């Protein structure tokens, strides 16, 4: 696809992204790096993370730092922020894309199972916010939270994720209001089914069945979310904060009829 974005627009800017090893996070890092940003990608799988950072540098020509971290650990996040600042000197944009999920009815979901997803998604987002905010204030930067649409209705087998994502949406709005006067923005993206992601693998639904319930007739690509991030972090979106962008091919408007 011919780019509608200006080459080099993110040169000198630094992206810090949790869940950057694969899927939506990887794609956002790749597009931002293609337009000149340096990136620090976080994930639990140190070896996989290193391989992803090397692949990102190769495909984009920009710099990428692999920072192994579990977002449930504030110590890991502090280390990752320090490594990012030591290498790149600043943090302009933060994407919270790390998440955990599996299908389970609430009747069969142990307290630890529920808590695990809340800790990865919600506490992980809180930890990321706390660790990065001082640096993001310095650059008058921006946050993007990768949420979901499933909590807009009662989605079966998704109690943990629904509760976690609803809390993330609320956190983003508070950050927008509290930090807006300092020039920091915070927004949410709520993707629908995105092909070839860990989330879709874990939810285990057949592609054809999903596509019947999407007005645009196909699952999304990770780049559908990455292109939104390219716009959101640009000066074109300078007045956009406290918003949620649903990118789901129209799925949520016909959920229940498919
Ligand atoms: C019931 C389950 C379960 C399952 C795990 N548990 N899988 N319970 N059904 N299928 C329970 C365990 O039994 C345990 O509880 C508790 O959850 C913690 O499990 P662990 O395996 O010890 O946790 P951990 O190793 O930390 O792994 C976390 C994880 C795992 C979330 C369980 O799936 C993971 O690492 N996921 C990361 C990647 C991922 O899920 N990406 C997809 C995000 S998709 P007990 O009681 O036995 O101790 C997404 C998009 C949503 O978020 C929107 C989609 C449209």
């Amino acid at each position: 696809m011919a780019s509608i974005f200006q080459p080099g627009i993110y040169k000198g800017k630094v992206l810090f992204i949790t869940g950057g090893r694969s899927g939506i996070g990887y794609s956002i890092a790749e597009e931002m790096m293609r337009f000149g940003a340096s990136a620090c990608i976080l994930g639990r799988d140190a070896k996989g993370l290193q391989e992803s950072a090397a692949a990102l540098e190769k495909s984009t020509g920009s710099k990428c730092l692999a920072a192994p971290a579990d977002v449930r650990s504030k110590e890991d996040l502090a280390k990752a922020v320090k490594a990012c600042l030591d290498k790149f000197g600043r943090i302009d944009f933060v994407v919270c894309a790390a998440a955990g999920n599996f299908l389970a009815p609430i009747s069969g979901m142990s307290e630890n199972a529920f808590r695990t997803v809340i800790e990865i998604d919600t506490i992980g987002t809180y930890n990321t916010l706390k660790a990065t905010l001082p640096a993001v204030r310095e650059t008058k930067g921006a946050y993007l939270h990768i949420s979901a649409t499933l909590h807009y209705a009662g989605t079966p087998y998704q109690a943990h994720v629904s509760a976690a994502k609803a809390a993330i949406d609320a956190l983003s709005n508070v950050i927008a209001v509290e930090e807006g006067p300092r020039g920091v923005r915070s927004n949410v993206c709520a993707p629908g089914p995105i092909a070839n992601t860990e989330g879709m693998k874990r939810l285990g639904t057949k592609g054809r069945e999903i596509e019947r319930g999407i007005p645009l007739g196909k699952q999304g690509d990770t780049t559908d979310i990455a292109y939104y991030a390219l716009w959101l972090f640009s000066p074109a979106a300078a007045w956009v904060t406290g918003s949620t962008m649903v990118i789901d091919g129209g799925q949520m408007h016909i959920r229940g009829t498919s």
Side-chain angles (χ1 to χ4, degrees):
M1 187 171 86
S3 178
I4 62 164
F5 301 101
Q6 197 180 324
I9 187 174
Y10 289 117
K11 217 167 169 19
K13 305 285 187 187
V14 177
L15 171 72
F16 183 94
I17 177 162
T18 70
R21 184 186 61 79
S22 66
I24 291 172
Y26 182 94
S27 197
I28 292 174
E30 187 168 42
E31 291 305 320
M32 292 293 291
M33 288 171 67
R34 225 188 271 296
F35 286 87
S38 301
C40 176
I41 60 171
L42 282 70
R44 282 181 286 169
D45 168 6
K47 186 168 171 285
L49 204 63
Q50 201 60 58
E51 287 164 3
S52 293
L56 284 165
E57 288 196 341
K58 193 162 177 226
S59 69
T60 66
S62 291
K63 292 271 168 246
C64 187
L65 174 68
D70 185 330
V71 291
R72 290 171 283 191
S73 158
K74 57 180 197 252
E75 291 77 18
D76 281 9
L77 274 158
K79 263 191 227 156
V81 167
K82 182 171 184 314
C84 182
L85 292 175
D86 286 349
K87 186 166 174 71
F88 299 128
R90 56 190 288 147
I91 297 174
D92 296 272
F93 313 118
V94 177
V95 178
C96 297
N101 199 3
F102 49 82
L103 290 173
I106 187 100
S107 57
M109 192 183 294
S110 70
E111 180 186 331
N112 192 39
F114 185 81
R115 188 188 299 280
T116 296
V117 169
I118 297 286
E119 279 177 354
I120 296 172
D121 293 24
T122 309
I123 306 295
T125 296
Y126 168 84
N127 286 339
T128 306
L129 286 166
K130 291 293 291 234
T132 55
L133 192 54
V136 173
R137 280 180 175 172
E138 291 274 322
T139 58
K140 298 191 191 307
Y143 287 91
L144 170 59
H145 304 279
I146 306 302
S147 184
T149 59
L150 41 80
H151 52 296
Y152 300 166
T155 303
Y157 313 123
Q158 293 283 269
H160 45 358
V161 182
S162 297
K165 296 295 193 186
I168 289 168
D169 293 359
L171 263 176
S172 177
N173 291 339
V174 173
I175 296 298
V177 170
E178 286 189 1
E179 295 298 322
R182 294 186 179 84
V184 172
R185 298 184 294 123
S186 180
N187 292 282
V188 169
C189 177
I194 304 294
N196 304 315
T197 55
E198 191 63 34
M200 289 309 290
K201 264 183 247 158
R202 280 165 196 268
L203 296 185
T205 323
K206 303 261 182 325
R208 277 278 168 73
E209 287 165 30
I210 293 181
E211 281 157 13
R212 272 204 295 273
I214 300 176
L216 289 182
K218 65 183 278 290
Q219 292 184 43
D221 295 317
T222 55
T223 48
D224 289 316
I225 310 304
Y227 296 150
Y228 164 69
L230 278 180
W231 169 78
L232 183 77
F233 290 137
S234 80
W239 208 49
V240 179
T241 196
S243 81
T244 297
M245 173 65 90
V246 174
I247 302 179
D248 72 343
Q251 185 202 40
M252 75 170 189
H253 295 294
I254 60 169
R255 185 181 292 157
T257 62
S258 56

